[in-house]
Amino acid sequence: MDGKREIIETEITMGTVHSAAIEPYRVRLFVEDEIVRDAEITVGVNHRGIERIMEGLPVEKANSLTEKVCGICSGVHLWNSVLVAEKGLGVEIPERASYIRIIVGELERLHSHLLYLAHGNEVLGHETFSMRLFYIRETVMELLRLIGGNRVQYGVPIIGGIRPRADLDEMKIQRISEGMDFIEEKVEAFAERFTSDPMVMSRITGVCPISRKDALRLHVTGPTLRATGVEFDLRTEMPCYEPFEFDIITQDGGDVRANLLMRVLEIFESIKIIRQALRDLPDGRVVDRNWEMQDTGIVKSYVEAPRGRLYHSYAIEDGRVRGSIIRTPSMSNIGAMQYACIGHHITDAQLGIVQCDPCFTCTDRAIEIIDLNAER
Amino acid sequence: MDASYSIISVTGTVLLGLIVSLWLPGIERKFVHARIQQRIGPPVSSPGLMAVLKFFYKKTIEPCSPLPRLYNSLPIIGFISALLILLFLIPPMYTFGALASLVAVVGFLKIEEVIYVFMGSLSRSVMSLRMPFPDLAKGAKHPNVQRYFLEDLSAMRAFRLIAFGSFPIYIALFVPAVMAGSISIGDIVAYQAANGPVLFTLAGVIGTVAFFIGYMILLNEYPFAILKTKADVIEGPYMEYASKYRAFVYITRGFLMFTLGCLFSVLFIGVPPNILSLGILVNLAAAAIFPVIMAVFSAFAPVFTFKQFYPVTAAASVIGVLALVVAFV
């Protein structure tokens, strides 16, 4: 409670099933006259033991299983899992495959951010904005289906490149390009309407702020961290993103407004990256099959998922996965979600949780917390 | 006025009100919300009529409530209070004196508001049910704290609404009374028959604004839907209603829309609802226009918290008071 007065009157429990939550999680809000004094978020309802299931599976199978970790950022899980294998096996992928992976990754970021904005507006009570954003997002989903064959689990990356069916021909490039124009126009119109709406602005400005200092203290990651003014985007450290020019978007305040605008502006950056990738798409193969399966030690890989830093690691033994660990961005952000609620109205508390873009289904996994001070 | 005319007028008007009110939610959802949100929307009969029929044929289940019978009877009480308001707006009923006055209207509207407090207090849904074991796991915060149900929150909010949320509509109701110099509905109608509708005066226009805001608050429509905010209390007082009792919730809401539309046309236009008169078209128009305008507003508004609710309600109340002052002048 950080030295706050310890008067807790009542508890309101929301969940594990609640209409404001896309996924099942449990929030305990400790309130005084509808003002949240403390909060506790509990996950665990959706724990599926994916790492345990992956244990001993052939690498390709295990990789495809990682796509089931999340229904929103499924592709980036597969991408990162494939990167682990490629790093361990020393596989170099064709440049064209790298570009297509980035196109898919950025399309996924678009659909994740649009989903976030739609969900945020739904929690805000603005159904019209929510519906319109889902309408815009539909274009992205169809583009992902066009590339990968599915709307949610497109399974583009494989070890050595991408699946040949996900290669881009002229028709696909044309469709993606048109889609980008459409999304840019619609999101611009939305942003203009959204920021000029006094009722919406009064509901989100200054609500559930996270300071820069607290964001760093709570290990916040991704757009939620950048919304507090910290200029850090893992994409700038990923070699595959080197050919592309894009800005790291930051906002000040870390409140709901900053977080929502953060995603809006990141949508434009993603569109910029996709356009560059389409323009400079190299010719050539999309998959390199000249690699040998061998044993590796534990290999770690980080990528910038739509919600922040995503970590995957495993070792390969006899062509099978051992000791897989996945840490999703929302795991880092849970602390911030709990912290952001404090001092705000109950209705805003859900908004404070949603502003951190929670994805609890990805996050649900067995963890062991070791208290380093316990022995002292 | 002979007895048969009165009976036909009253029963016919009430029946017409019932029939029309079943279509109002559909008009709101299909022709306004869906159009604005660029979607097809439900069939126009679905939200108000077919949903009601469907619920009547559903299996009746026992609500999670300490007093389930009382809880289930509350929507019916709400419906009766809305029905009584409409009843005493019909000209043959003006002979009932005090019941056909603004004091009675305010009283019946108060019943409408108070039942939400009871609904919220009597509901114990699974949505916020405590775990079958106490939160005593290692590291759990604040074990053994008193727990509220989500519906308790909505009950407290309903209580606050009674305190301040209903000011705008109640103040607006008395604008025509001030101009007519009487709180009797018959006198207000007679005054407007002689001097023209209150709506076409400055006080009437200002009063209409306050009335409309109050209308939205009374119907718990966005942005004033704090009783049933999806982000926290979900359905709020209505959470545990099922089958025919939920059907009554739907009927009551639609009927209240119609009744408040009629109330406006009586007080601000001077046209009482009477099926045996062409003036009923004015009532029907008011009953249809109000939900449409409300739907437009609600489609473009987020749900308020108290931070926005208090100033808006205060401003609407000030507008109402201004209308009263202008009416006095």
Side-chain angles (χ1 to χ4, degrees):
Chain A
M1 288 285 286
D2 303 327
K4 290 183 178 69
R5 54 204 181 93
E6 276 277 358
I7 304 168
I8 301 294
E9 275 183 7
T10 41
E11 177 192 333
I12 303 283
T13 308
M14 292 183 189
T16 49
V17 176
H18 194 282
S19 63
I22 290 178
E23 303 157 298
Y25 63 95
R26 190 159 167 267
V27 189
R28 295 173 73 207
L29 298 173
F30 304 97
V31 300
E32 288 173 37
D33 191 27
E34 295 206 37
I35 302 298
V36 177
R37 295 294 172 207
D38 202 358
E40 184 184 55
I41 296 173
T42 314
V43 294
V45 181
N46 255 333
H47 180 56
R48 293 156 295 166
I50 281 186
E51 288 110 324
R52 179 66 191 81
I53 299 166
M54 281 170 73
E55 188 70 20
L57 283 182
V59 178
E60 291 88 345
K61 268 197 173 183
N63 283 346
S64 65
L65 189 65
T66 58
E67 205 170 22
K68 279 74 178 171
V69 169
C70 181
I72 304 167
C73 48
S74 52
V76 81
H77 277 278
L78 175 58
W79 185 9
N80 203 18
S81 189
V82 166
L83 279 176
V84 171
E86 285 170 352
K87 274 185 183 178
L89 301 171
V91 179
E92 284 286 326
I93 67 163
E95 207 179 2
R96 185 178 176 86
S98 175
Y99 271 59
I100 293 170
R101 280 184 186 185
I102 282 164
I103 290 167
V104 172
E106 292 307 315
L107 280 171
E108 191 169 71
R109 196 179 308 279
L110 283 180
H111 109 68
S112 177
H113 283 1
L114 286 165
L115 179 85
Y116 167 88
L117 291 167
H119 182 215
N121 275 290
E122 196 184 12
V123 172
L124 201 60
H126 208 306
E127 280 183 5
T128 304
F129 278 164
S130 181
M131 295 269 182
R132 287 187 180 182
L133 285 157
F134 274 119
Y135 165 66
I136 300 167
R137 177 176 168 266
E138 196 58 25
T139 307
V140 187
M141 302 307 284
E142 284 303 302
L143 290 175
L144 286 166
R145 190 182 61 81
L146 179 78
I147 297 167
N150 283 318
R151 286 162 57 94
V152 177
Q153 297 183 344
Y154 10 91
V156 173
I158 54 172
I159 299 171
I162 62 160
R163 279 191 303 131
R165 76 95 55 216
D167 194 7
L168 300 182
D169 56 22
E170 281 306 312
M171 183 272 285
K172 286 181 182 176
I173 291 169
Q174 175 70 17
R175 290 273 299 276
I176 295 167
S177 191
E178 285 168 3
M180 290 307 103
D181 296 343
F182 172 82
I183 292 161
E184 187 174 49
E185 181 198 333
K186 293 291 178 186
V187 174
E188 261 175 18
F190 161 76
E192 201 175 308
R193 175 76 182 77
F194 184 77
T195 52
S196 62
D197 191 320
M199 279 194 290
V200 172
M201 285 296 123
S202 76
R203 275 285 277 115
I204 62 175
T205 307
V207 171
C208 301
I210 303 165
S211 69
R212 182 193 171 105
K213 186 181 161 188
D214 286 322
L216 294 168
R217 179 175 62 85
L218 296 162
H219 299 276
V220 176
T221 180
T224 314
L225 175 69
R226 293 192 286 277
T228 65
V230 178
E231 195 172 339
F232 178 76
D233 190 329
L234 201 64
R235 283 179 295 177
T236 55
E237 295 176 19
M238 290 169 68
C240 57
Y241 274 94
E242 271 174 22
F244 304 102
E245 282 183 20
F246 62 96
D247 297 324
I248 300 175
I249 304 294
T250 56
Q251 290 284 306
D252 290 324
D255 58 354
V256 176
R257 179 181 172 276
N259 271 286
L260 287 165
L261 291 180
M262 179 80 221
R263 269 70 172 192
V264 169
L265 296 170
E266 280 204 350
I267 284 170
F268 297 124
E269 292 308 308
S270 289
I271 291 170
K272 198 195 287 182
I273 292 168
I274 292 167
R275 280 183 176 150
Q276 287 175 61
L278 291 174
R279 188 191 61 208
D280 304 332
L281 189 65
D283 293 329
R285 295 172 306 142
V286 291
V287 62
D288 178 12
R289 301 202 188 268
N290 298 321
W291 51 272
E292 289 291 322
M293 184 61 76
Q294 57 193 35
D295 290 0
T296 69
I298 293 279
V299 180
K300 300 172 184 176
S301 176
Y302 292 93
V303 295
E304 182 75 14
R307 283 169 183 71
R309 186 189 291 209
L310 172 68
Y311 168 85
H312 275 245
S313 73
Y314 56 78
I316 300 173
E317 215 176 89
D318 299 329
R320 294 176 183 274
V321 165
R322 299 291 175 200
S324 169
I325 294 174
I326 302 168
R327 199 202 64 196
T328 56
S330 293
M331 181 62 83
S332 308
N333 290 341
I334 283 182
M337 291 172 206
Q338 294 180 158
Y339 175 81
C341 300
I342 297 170
H344 292 271
H345 191 270
I346 289 172
T347 312
D348 289 335
Q350 276 290 4
L351 207 51
I353 292 166
V354 168
Q355 76 169 350
C356 299
D357 204 356
C359 188
F360 290 118
T361 310
C362 324
T363 304
D364 260 357
R365 54 201 68 260
I367 55 164
E368 185 182 359
I369 298 168
I370 301 160
D371 187 354
L372 296 174
N373 300 318
E375 298 300 314
R376 295 174 195 171
Chain B
M1 240 184 273
D2 59 355
S4 59
Y5 175 90
S6 301
I7 291 164
I8 293 166
S9 167
V10 172
T11 51
T13 306
V14 169
L15 282 173
L16 180 73
L18 263 173
I19 293 162
V20 171
S21 68
L22 293 173
W23 294 87
L24 290 178
I27 292 167
E28 181 192 18
R29 289 269 303 277
K30 172 79 179 176
F31 298 123
V32 187
H33 274 173
R35 290 293 297 272
I36 287 170
Q37 291 166 4
Q38 298 173 337
R39 58 189 171 87
I40 297 165
V44 71
S45 63
S46 186
L49 179 62
M50 301 312 284
V52 168
L53 286 174
K54 178 186 74 177
F55 282 125
F56 268 117
Y57 285 95
K58 291 257 181 190
K59 183 185 172 187
T60 305
I61 58 161
E62 183 92 343
C64 295
S65 169
L67 297 164
R69 283 186 182 177
L70 176 59
Y71 180 72
N72 276 338
S73 67
L74 289 171
I76 300 163
I77 294 168
F79 174 72
I80 291 167
S81 68
L83 182 69
L84 288 170
I85 296 169
L86 180 67
L87 212 58
F88 293 109
L89 292 177
I90 304 166
M93 302 297 282
Y94 293 169
T95 51
F96 283 80
L99 285 172
S101 72
L102 283 183
V103 172
V105 169
V106 169
F108 293 134
L109 285 177
K110 271 290 169 219
I111 292 171
E112 194 67 45
E113 288 181 89
V114 168
I115 61 165
Y116 294 125
V117 179
F118 288 109
M119 280 181 187
S121 310
L122 294 173
S123 182
R124 298 275 184 274
S125 79
V126 73
M127 290 293 180
S128 49
L129 201 63
R130 62 171 65 242
M131 289 283 188
F133 46 84
D135 278 300
L136 292 172
K138 189 182 176 188
K141 293 180 177 179
H142 317 290
N144 302 322
V145 174
Q146 183 200 351
R147 282 215 184 142
Y148 274 13
F149 283 84
L150 294 178
E151 299 93 309
D152 290 329
L153 268 184
S154 59
M156 287 189 286
R157 288 177 187 181
F159 204 78
R160 290 185 183 194
L161 276 181
I162 290 171
F164 67 86
S166 46
F167 277 156
I169 196 164
Y170 292 148
I171 295 168
L173 289 182
F174 282 91
V175 171
V178 167
M179 292 176 79
S182 167
I183 58 165
S184 165
I185 289 168
D187 292 345
I188 292 168
V189 171
Y191 168 83
Q192 290 179 91
N195 300 289
V198 167
L199 181 62
F200 301 144
T201 64
L202 180 60
V205 170
I206 302 169
T208 301
V209 174
F211 182 94
F212 177 70
I213 294 168
Y215 171 91
M216 285 181 81
I217 294 171
L218 207 64
L219 285 166
N220 298 315
E221 189 56 75
Y222 282 81
F224 305 106
I226 59 169
L227 292 192
K228 47 189 179 87
T229 314
K230 210 164 30 168
D232 47 30
V233 296
I234 313 174
E235 274 277 274
Y238 304 139
M239 198 105 82
E240 280 297 293
Y241 284 115
S243 61
K244 57 178 179 277
Y245 303 107
R246 181 160 282 271
F248 266 107
V249 167
Y250 279 58
I251 292 170
T252 303
R253 182 179 162 76
F255 198 74
L256 193 62
M257 278 183 187
F258 180 82
T259 300
L260 291 174
C262 287
L263 183 64
F264 177 82
S265 56
V266 168
L267 297 179
F268 286 81
I269 307 173
V271 180
N274 184 355
I275 198 165
L276 301 174
S277 144
L278 277 177
I280 192 75
L281 296 174
V282 176
N283 305 122
L284 294 177
I289 289 167
F290 267 84
V292 167
I293 299 171
M294 178 175 75
V296 172
F297 271 85
S298 67
F300 287 112
V303 69
F304 284 164
T305 58
F306 288 121
K307 201 170 104 182
Q308 294 84 31
F309 203 112
Y310 286 132
V312 170
T313 312
S317 302
V318 168
I319 289 168
V321 170
L322 181 68
L324 279 178
V325 170
V326 174
F328 269 115
V329 172

